[in-house]
Amino acid sequence: MPDHAHTILNTLQSNETGSIQRWMDWLRIPSVSTDPKFRDETRKAGKWIADQFAALGFDCKLVETGKIGKDGKGEGHPIVLATIDAAPGYKGPHVLFYGHYDVQPPDPLNLWDSAPFEPVLRPAKAGEEGGERVVARGAVDDKGQVMTFLEACRAWKQVAGHPTNGAKYTLLIEGEEESGSANLAQFVKDYKKQLDACDVCLVSDTGMLGRAKPAITYGVRGIAYTQVTLHASNQDLHSGLWGGRCPNPITELARVLAQLHDKKRRVTIPGFYDDVVPLTKKERDNWKKLKFNSKAALKKIGLGAAADIGEAGYTAMEREWGRPTAEINGIWGGYIGEGAKTVIPAHASAKVSFRLVANQNPHKITKQFFNWCKKHTPPGCKWELTDLHGGFGVTVPIDSPHLAAASSALKRASGKSPDLIKSGGSIPVAGMLKDILGIDTIFMGFGLDDDRVHSPNEKFELACFRLGCKAHAMFIDEVTK
Ligand code: BES
Ligand code: MN
Ligand code: MN
């Protein structure tokens, strides 16, 4: 087999203007999976990426998810499933590439400097670090990162006539990651026979510790997401006539939720830590060597060193990567309009979620939390408790040959050995693949911690995009060597 590695890098470079155009075309499709208003657009974004891979020779289909209606469409968003045949005699791994084409809602809209679905390519502004970037919802999470793989395939197709240079790849690009991958486990079960052939999953949906600091993420946290409503009276009440005579559900909800953590900022739910795998000295030592500067990270988000708080006895990095947490993501009730209104509302609500470490079961945690709520029911009040979604965390072995291939691909793409890091974020697919197929996931991602994922002005820098394209191209070279 001829050595194409060098030509590939040149090809990626000469394709770049077109690559960015395509990336921006995809970003123009507002695929917000959580909002029913964007249903058709979300499907369009799935179809768009399927067409791209089909044009490179992949056999692509859209698989409907959720309950299928009369129109043949599912109630969920379709999954793009694509395959490419291996060259005869190919002996390397069968790689399952995973990404997601859905994005988070762009709100709050007034904080964007440019419209979220009108991507702009621009240099850094005064006060911003880094170089040229594309700004739009989904720029890095996850469209830009999926594009890095697509463009690597395009270059290989041009140079070697086959988009993965003869390697066996299956692609799974879903449209519900940002809404908790509700229909993905069913899909993996339905397609178990086909997916069982895959040896490893490769995901580009994570980040690095800094610019030009390539990284492999060997673990992500799980999540359990709930909504709780505390009901009191059957109607809103005049706070002068009723205040002091009956429960105010906002006050009572706040009192309950304030007890979620103790003085050491540990979660107080009985059994919460039962299944947690303690951090080992070795892991803690390895992480120390990464020289993560938590003060600098806090400063970037407008906080001082005093804000370095969380579960006692652990560093910021340990708290993010290796410890479970409880978070209140939203809380509401009563009057929040202009001016004053003297009211005691009938109910108050909160979104409460938990980040979990490997081995903790999201269903069990949700049950424990709901039991805890019931035990803390304020006098005269009633709970309405809703499980919104859950996903398992994973930690993957760092001595696998696939991880070694990713590591050497990153090294060839950047000249540097990648950091081995974890992330506090969640990507539900990994736990499902481990559980249903028994395969591990390698997270080779290219984001930065100031990319503003899920926030206004989300961006992905060209330098990171380029690194991603090269790394995927080199990974293909590694598996076909
Ligand atoms: N790509 C992110 C997760 C992520 C970001 C991992 C940065 C590592 C570094 C993913 O799209 C995401 O946002 N996941 C959600 C999961 C949820 C909605 C089930 C999360 O972590 O909140
Ligand atoms: Mn993502
Ligand atoms: Mn996300």
Side-chain angles (χ1 to χ4, degrees):
M1 211 181 276
D3 182 10
H4 288 308
H6 189 72
T7 330
I8 283 289
L9 297 180
N10 290 335
T11 307
L12 282 172
Q13 202 176 356
S14 40
N15 286 351
E16 190 171 277
T17 309
S19 307
I20 295 168
Q21 285 309 322
R22 283 185 285 276
W23 172 22
M24 289 170 72
D25 286 343
W26 198 20
L27 290 171
R28 270 183 211 103
I29 312 176
S31 46
V32 182
S33 59
T34 46
D35 186 342
K37 255 202 334 266
F38 293 96
R39 207 182 135 72
D40 292 345
E41 297 287 344
T42 303
R43 170 179 293 269
K44 229 191 252 172
K47 174 93 171 47
W48 188 93
I49 193 67
D51 288 346
Q52 291 289 317
F53 281 107
L56 295 182
F58 283 81
D59 184 8
C60 295
K61 61 177 171 181
L62 288 187
V63 179
E64 298 299 332
T65 65
K67 218 171 105 204
I68 313 293
K70 283 197 203 84
D71 58 359
K73 291 181 183 169
E75 67 185 359
H77 301 295
I79 288 170
V80 177
L81 180 64
T83 53
I84 185 89
D85 284 334
Y90 172 69
K91 294 225 169 53
H94 181 164
V95 181
L96 176 63
F97 175 84
Y98 166 91
H100 62 91
Y101 65 80
D102 64 322
V103 301
Q104 285 271 326
D107 311 81
L109 289 172
N110 60 323
L111 295 185
W112 285 80
D113 295 334
S114 50
F117 298 110
E118 288 165 28
V120 290
L121 170 63
R122 65 160 178 81
K125 290 181 182 167
E128 285 178 341
E129 282 176 47
E132 276 200 291
R133 73 263 331 269
V134 169
V135 180
R137 170 57 82 238
V140 58
D141 186 11
D142 183 29
K143 287 173 176 166
Q145 301 220 46
V146 171
M147 286 309 281
T148 64
F149 174 68
L150 174 73
E151 294 305 316
C153 292
R154 185 185 315 283
W156 272 112
K157 169 95 178 175
Q158 283 165 296
V159 173
H162 184 290
T164 54
N165 193 29
K168 182 71 190 166
Y169 267 71
T170 294
L171 319 184
L172 194 181
I173 303 170
E174 73 158 322
E176 298 185 340
E177 198 274 348
E178 300 292 9
S179 43
S181 299
N183 294 299
L184 188 59
Q186 189 57 49
F187 168 86
V188 176
K189 285 176 194 153
D190 291 347
Y191 284 78
K192 184 171 190 303
K193 252 199 176 144
Q194 181 175 340
L195 297 174
D196 255 337
C198 301
D199 296 301
V200 64
C201 178
L202 181 62
V203 175
S204 282
D205 193 23
T206 51
M208 316 182 280
L209 290 186
R211 289 182 176 76
K213 278 172 72 71
I216 292 174
T217 299
Y218 70 97
V220 294
R221 285 196 292 185
I223 187 167
Y225 205 116
T226 71
Q227 180 164 323
V228 301
T229 298
L230 191 64
H231 293 276
S233 52
N234 63 5
Q235 55 199 272
D236 283 6
L237 304 169
H238 187 297
S239 69
L241 304 183
W242 286 97
R245 286 176 63 190
C246 66
N248 178 326
I250 305 180
T251 311
E252 298 302 322
L253 178 64
R255 285 164 67 102
V256 174
L257 294 182
Q259 295 173 61
L260 262 177
H261 298 92
D262 66 14
K263 282 204 187 104
K264 292 183 154 173
R265 296 199 161 77
R266 282 172 64 87
V267 177
T268 56
I269 299 168
F272 184 76
Y273 292 98
D274 281 2
D275 298 330
V276 171
V277 182
L279 286 172
T280 61
K281 166 129 188 357
K282 185 154 180 248
E283 207 166 27
R284 294 176 99 166
D285 285 347
N286 284 343
W287 294 356
K288 266 192 209 109
K289 287 186 208 132
L290 295 170
K291 300 219 162 52
F292 174 73
N293 186 339
S294 90
K295 282 203 184 78
L298 286 170
K299 196 168 170 208
K300 276 195 198 167
I301 56 164
L303 292 172
D308 191 356
I309 59 163
E311 187 185 2
Y314 297 93
T315 66
M317 180 173 274
E318 289 165 354
R319 298 193 305 264
E320 186 204 328
W321 294 358
R323 298 295 298 170
T325 57
E327 304 293 343
I328 302 168
N329 302 111
I331 184 160
W332 67 99
Y335 182 68
I336 53 167
E338 288 291 318
K341 182 185 185 196
T342 48
V343 64
I344 293 176
H347 45 81
S349 303
K351 309 247 182 208
V352 182
S353 67
F354 303 87
R355 293 290 170 165
L356 311 175
V357 295
N359 202 44
Q360 276 182 302
N361 180 327
H363 311 298
K364 189 167 157 190
I365 295 294
T366 298
K367 211 188 259 167
Q368 286 172 346
F369 172 53
F370 287 173
N371 285 338
W372 178 87
C373 288
K374 286 177 202 154
K375 245 186 67 195
H376 288 79
T377 309
C381 298
K382 262 204 259 36
W383 287 111
E384 180 186 340
L385 304 167
T386 314
D387 178 355
L388 290 182
H389 61 71
F392 284 80
V394 293
T395 294
V396 304
I398 54 176
D399 55 0
S400 85
H402 311 304
L403 197 132
S407 185
S408 94
L410 279 166
K411 185 152 191 201
R412 290 170 68 193
S414 68
K416 291 192 192 124
S417 295
D419 292 332
L420 273 179
I421 67 172
K422 280 192 160 188
S423 172
S426 304
I427 304 178
V429 70
M432 295 176 197
L433 296 178
K434 185 73 190 170
D435 183 38
I436 303 167
L437 308 176
I439 64 171
D440 285 320
T441 296
I442 288 160
F443 303 92
M444 184 170 83
F446 309 98
L448 294 170
D449 70 354
D450 62 1
D451 281 343
R452 297 175 185 264
V453 264
H454 296 194
S455 299
N457 301 319
E458 177 179 346
K459 58 101 172 140
F460 194 26
E461 296 182 13
L462 289 196
C464 299
F465 178 79
R466 275 180 207 126
L467 174 62
C469 295
K470 287 185 201 168
H472 275 295
M474 292 301 105
F475 185 82
I476 289 170
D477 194 50
E478 287 293 321
V479 298
T480 50
K481 259 210 289 225

